[in-house]
Amino acid sequence: MRRLRGQERAITGNQQTSWAFADVFVAEDEALRWARDRAYEAGLRSVSNGTGGALRLLAAAVDAKAVAEIGTGTGVSGIHLLHGMRPDGVLTTVDSDPECQQFARQAFRAAGFAGNRARFIPGRALEVLPRLADGGYDLVFCDGDRLECLDYLAESLRLLRPGGLVCFEGVFADGRTVDSALPPAEVQRVRELLRAVRESTALVPSLLPVGDGLLCAVRRG
């Protein structure tokens, strides 16, 4: 066992190289590159390769048949989730921008997924989520407004079956979450989310250092 000095070691060049390698370990196909290009043109930031690979793995690990996604974007994260889900699984994806959802439809089709594999719901997440079924989902992926993340957590706990998984993208907030400076409101809300998930007796949490940070938690049975 390695002996550490203090609680942490400095991040070395080798570690940075290793993390960069891990982030491109899952190769992108043409459909993913197309969706990522559409996001770039629209001024949106897509999940990284590493985050997408983690989502794919997690969806497969819970044998996901029903997944809810907050923040369709142009379909990058959705493609990864669909690749990990069961062949008969359905992704319910919510976004306030119908034009982006049209790009996602094209991306899903280009990736080889049948039209009935995804249900697109336009609208604000906090208006749509209450209409979804209690305990009806194996995984909930949250990539929406950071100011609403605590509300997403509450809705996710209602939507998930026991043993289901909730994931939050972007919890590092480009390094601002761990910055000692006074944070903007959205970063303060992310800190509150991290604290709530870590301290919840209903969840088994982990924080994965992929992309801009992926907070994951399993709902206890």
Side-chain angles (χ1 to χ4, degrees):
M1 178 180 294
R2 290 189 304 124
R3 188 178 299 278
L4 300 179
R5 296 180 180 177
Q7 291 187 329
E8 299 178 347
R9 283 186 181 272
I11 297 172
T12 67
N14 284 340
Q15 285 174 314
Q16 291 175 330
T17 301
S18 298
W19 289 342
F21 174 68
D23 209 45
V24 297
F25 180 72
V26 176
E28 288 199 332
D29 57 20
E30 185 176 344
L32 276 167
R33 287 192 294 271
W34 183 88
R36 193 177 294 283
D37 287 344
R38 300 294 78 74
Y40 179 79
E41 292 168 0
L44 302 174
R45 185 164 69 176
S46 303
V47 298
S48 71
N49 284 10
T51 300
L55 292 173
R56 189 182 300 208
L57 172 71
L58 293 169
V62 297
D63 195 28
K65 183 175 182 180
V67 173
E69 177 184 47
I70 301 169
T72 309
T74 56
V76 176
S77 55
I79 289 175
H80 282 291
L81 288 165
L82 284 165
H83 275 305
M85 295 168 64
R86 290 168 45 167
D88 59 344
V90 175
L91 172 68
T92 297
T93 183
V94 181
D95 201 292
S96 59
D97 188 337
E99 185 176 354
C100 281
Q101 289 193 321
Q102 283 300 111
F103 284 133
R105 286 180 190 273
Q106 295 177 54
F108 292 175
R109 187 163 54 247
F113 298 111
N116 62 359
R117 292 292 311 278
R119 177 170 61 144
F120 294 88
I121 305 179
R124 288 189 62 248
L126 295 182
E127 295 174 357
V128 173
L129 295 176
R131 306 202 301 263
L132 303 184
D134 293 7
Y137 293 85
D138 305 297
L139 189 153
V140 179
F141 174 57
C142 305
D143 189 14
D145 188 341
R146 288 191 180 115
L147 290 172
E148 298 179 342
C149 61
L150 287 171
D151 298 304
Y152 298 160
L153 176 62
E155 286 294 332
S156 297
L157 289 174
R158 180 184 62 81
L159 293 173
L160 286 172
R161 63 165 173 80
L165 183 67
V166 61
C167 301
F168 289 85
E169 155 65 4
V171 296
F172 290 165
D174 296 316
R176 292 176 297 165
T177 301
V178 295
D179 195 326
S180 60
L182 182 65
E186 66 171 21
V187 175
Q188 182 61 39
R189 196 59 54 87
V190 170
R191 290 180 179 179
E192 294 170 4
L193 170 70
L194 288 163
R195 189 179 307 113
V197 170
R198 184 177 58 194
E199 296 176 357
S200 173
T201 59
L203 296 169
V204 180
S206 184
L207 179 55
L208 305 184
V210 293
D212 196 28
L214 187 66
L215 175 64
C216 304
V218 174
R219 182 190 166 196
R220 293 184 185 273

